[in-house]
């Protein structure tokens, strides 16, 4: 499968985040990417740099004021104090209920809170360059699928599915899966489905398409009663306005078995078949892995091959976008097992 790889990913290299008030090493590490590239090459998958720009689609998915903030954030952080060059900015104040989010304060940290859902998404000097290139890879993977009918894989970090229309969060800045889905729409696919298999609910993707009937979003994830992002991902979120009926959440208890996970997967894929999309985007997180350090499902390496095979059995034009997965040295094998399982179906049914 052709993979569009983000060769600028390492410019996003934060070193620490916060856990229970203490600094801890980042889970979303630069090496995750290296393991995926290594596994892609070992399994004979072809790689390409981005061939399309996401410039046009970015403004269809994210608000202009958020894009302006993100692209200029580092220079404005440095303008506060040149000593900030080696410091990661974190928000400390947020416009929660009753406070105004329509006004943008001049203060940089107040802006950072306005455009952040958590204090768990550290930024560094090269973050914008890395995430913009990731968006270009997502647009390229979608254009490849739309123009050739051939499946693609967007190999990029940081991930994207927690990033909403106008905020970052959960290690995410630009929503690559949403950018891919919107690019497919722009290429003429009337209906696009997104299946999010990351352990965490794809709150950003859900929010971007919540009032739309042309993009169906479904997600299998740890229940928000105990798992990040906590404030979205319940089963009663079914979409709104024109989007009513086009959102399907399948939250599972932390510790759910592999069998329970595949039962939910079956429910999700049946709903996708009923929607009858012209293209399918998979938000491919592998933090459902039993050894993942921050997640609580139990999938093992062979289960990812099975997942890919079942996705292929839907017989839809399909692309994959890398999301989470923090058992760093297993991320490559697990991701590539999904792609190999997908291709094994295609070749056995050719
Ligand atoms: C894309 C994605 O998978 N984002 C996940 C963001 C999760 N952020 C919260 C991390 C909380 C880490 N908890 C550490 C538990 C260590 N025992
Ligand atoms: Zn995740």
């Amino acid at each position: 499968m052709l993979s569009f790889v983000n060769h600028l990913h390492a410019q996003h290299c934060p070193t620490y985040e916060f856990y229970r008030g203490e600094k801890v090493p980042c889970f979303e590490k630069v090496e995750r990417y290296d393991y995926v590239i290594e596994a892609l090459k070992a399994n004979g998958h072809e790689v390409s740099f981005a061939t399309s720009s996401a410039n046009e689609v970015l403004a269809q998915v994210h608000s202009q004021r958020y894009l302006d903030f993100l692209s200029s954030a580092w220079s404005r952080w440095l303008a506060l104090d040149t000593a900030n060059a080696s410091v990661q900015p974190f928000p400390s104040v947020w416009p929660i209920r009753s406070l105004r989010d329509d006004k943008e304060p001049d203060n940089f940290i107040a802006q950072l809170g306005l455009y952040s859902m958590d204090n768990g998404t550290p930024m560094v000097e090269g973050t914008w360059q890395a995430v913009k290139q990731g968006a270009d890879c997502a647009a390229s993977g979608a254009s490849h699928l739309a123009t050739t009918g051939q499946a693609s894989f967007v190999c990029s970090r940081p991930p994207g599915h927690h990033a909403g229309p106008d905020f970052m969060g959960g290690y995410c800045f630009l929503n690559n899966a949403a950018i891919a889905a919107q690019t497919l729409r722009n290429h003429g696919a009337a209906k696009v489905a997104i299946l999010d298999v990351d352990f965490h609910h794809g709150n950003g993707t859900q929010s971007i398409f919540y009032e739309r009937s042309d993009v169906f979003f479904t997600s299998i994830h740890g229940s928000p009663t105990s798992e990040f992002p906590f404030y979205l991902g319940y089963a009663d979120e079914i979409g709104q306005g024109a989007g009513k009926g086009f959102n399907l959440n399948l939250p599972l208890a932390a510790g759910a078995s592999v069998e329970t996970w595949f039962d939910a997967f079956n429910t999700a894929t049946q709903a996708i078949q009923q929607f009858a999309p012209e293209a399918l985007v998979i938000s491919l997180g592998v933090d459902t892995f039993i050894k993942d350090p921050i997640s609580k499902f139990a999938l093992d390496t062979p289960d990812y091959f099975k997942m890919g095979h079942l996705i292929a059995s839907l017989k839809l034009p399909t692309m994959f976008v890398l999301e989470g997965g923090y058992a760093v040295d297993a991320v490559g094998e697990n991701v590539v097992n999904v792609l190999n399982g997908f291709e094994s179906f295609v070749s056995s049914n050719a």
Side-chain angles (χ1 to χ4, degrees), residues 229-293:
F230 304 114
Y231 307 114
L232 210 64
Y234 289 90
D236 65 354
E237 297 154 18
I238 62 169
Q240 203 170 298
K244 199 167 176 183
F246 297 93
N247 195 86
L248 175 64
N249 282 330
L250 299 163
L252 305 176
S257 69
V258 174
E259 196 190 351
T260 300
W261 193 91
F262 275 103
D263 283 346
F265 179 89
N266 190 38
T267 303
T269 56
Q270 280 178 15
I272 290 167
Q273 282 174 308
Q274 190 153 2
F275 178 66
E278 289 173 24
L280 174 62
V281 177
I282 310 293
S283 255
L284 180 56
V286 293
D287 41 11
T288 48
F289 185 47
I290 182 132
K291 290 179 186 153
D292 193 274

Side-chain angles (χ1 to χ4, degrees), residues 57 60 142 146 178-193 209 212-215 275 278-279:
V57 71
Q60 295 178 277
I179 289 162
Q182 185 62 48
T183 302
L184 290 162
R185 288 282 296 108
N186 295 351
H187 274 278
K191 294 194 284 180
V192 177
F209 297 114
R212 287 171 55 169
S213 59
D214 57 331
V215 179
F275 178 66
E278 289 173 24

Side-chain angles (χ1 to χ4, degrees), residues 159 161-162 170-171 196-201 228 285-288 292 294-295 323-326:
H161 74 150
H162 296 301
Y171 313 145
D196 189 322
V197 298
D198 187 280
F199 173 79
H200 304 95
H201 177 245
F228 185 91
V286 293
D287 41 11
T288 48
D292 193 274
I294 68 170
S295 309
E323 302 284 1
Y326 308 101

Side-chain angles (χ1 to χ4, degrees), residues 47-301:
V47 303
S48 167
F49 295 142
T51 49
S52 312
S53 161
N55 286 349
E56 223 167 287
V57 71
L58 270 183
Q60 295 178 277
V61 164
H62 294 289
S63 74
Q64 195 55 51
R65 70 174 194 166
Y66 174 58
L67 294 169
D68 291 344
F69 168 76
L70 204 56
S71 57
S72 66
W74 192 258
S75 63
R76 306 207 26 259
W77 172 236
L78 281 188
L80 285 182
D81 186 339
T82 52
N84 281 345
S86 57
V87 182
Q88 298 171 185
F90 286 93
S92 58
V93 60
W94 287 267
I96 196 169
R97 291 169 294 285
S98 85
L99 303 182
R100 287 183 69 166
D101 62 13
D102 59 320
K103 299 281 193 190
E104 185 181 277
D106 296 330
N107 179 283
F108 175 77
I109 295 299
Q111 289 178 1
L112 190 56
L114 176 61
Y115 297 117
S116 297
M117 63 178 276
D118 63 6
N119 82 331
T121 310
M123 175 188 286
V124 296
E125 180 177 9
T127 296
W128 171 253
Q129 284 70 27
V131 300
K132 172 58 170 65
Q133 185 67 29
D136 289 346
C137 288
S140 302
S143 296
H144 177 78
L145 176 61
T147 55
T148 69
Q150 300 292 306
S152 61
F153 171 54
V154 178
C155 181
S156 184
R157 57 163 294 280
H161 74 150
H162 296 301
D166 60 358
F167 60 85
M168 58 172 126
Y171 313 145
C172 305
F173 298 86
L174 295 176
N175 194 312
N176 299 316
I179 289 162
Q182 185 62 48
T183 302
L184 290 162
R185 288 282 296 108
N186 295 351
H187 274 278
K191 294 194 284 180
V192 177
I194 302 173
L195 168 60
D196 189 322
V197 298
D198 187 280
F199 173 79
H200 304 95
H201 177 245
N203 64 282
T205 319
Q206 169 172 311
S207 295
I208 288 166
F209 297 114
Y210 205 60
E211 298 189 23
R212 287 171 55 169
S213 59
D214 57 331
V215 179
F216 175 72
F217 176 74
T218 181
S219 176
I220 306 156
H221 50 269
S223 169
T225 56
S226 63
E227 304 308 312
F228 185 91
F230 304 114
Y231 307 114
L232 210 64
Y234 289 90
D236 65 354
E237 297 154 18
I238 62 169
Q240 203 170 298
K244 199 167 176 183
F246 297 93
N247 195 86
L248 175 64
N249 282 330
L250 299 163
L252 305 176
S257 69
V258 174
E259 196 190 351
T260 300
W261 193 91
F262 275 103
D263 283 346
F265 179 89
N266 190 38
T267 303
T269 56
Q270 280 178 15
I272 290 167
Q273 282 174 308
Q274 190 153 2
F275 178 66
E278 289 173 24
L280 174 62
V281 177
I282 310 293
S283 255
L284 180 56
V286 293
D287 41 11
T288 48
F289 185 47
I290 182 132
K291 290 179 186 153
D292 193 274
I294 68 170
S295 309
K296 294 159 191 163
F297 287 166
L299 272 65
D300 209 341
T301 297

Side-chain angles (χ1 to χ4, degrees), residues 3-7 9 30-49 153-157 322 328 331-333 335-336 339:
S3 297
F4 290 89
V5 305
N6 181 357
H7 62 297
H9 79 94
V30 168
E31 304 87 89
R32 297 175 62 240
Y33 177 94
D34 302 324
Y35 280 105
V36 181
I37 294 289
E38 194 180 308
L40 286 173
K41 291 187 173 163
N43 286 269
H45 294 282
E46 236 185 296
V47 303
S48 167
F49 295 142
F153 171 54
V154 178
C155 181
S156 184
R157 57 163 294 280
L322 184 62
V328 175
V331 170
E333 192 183 7
V335 164
V336 171
L339 308 184

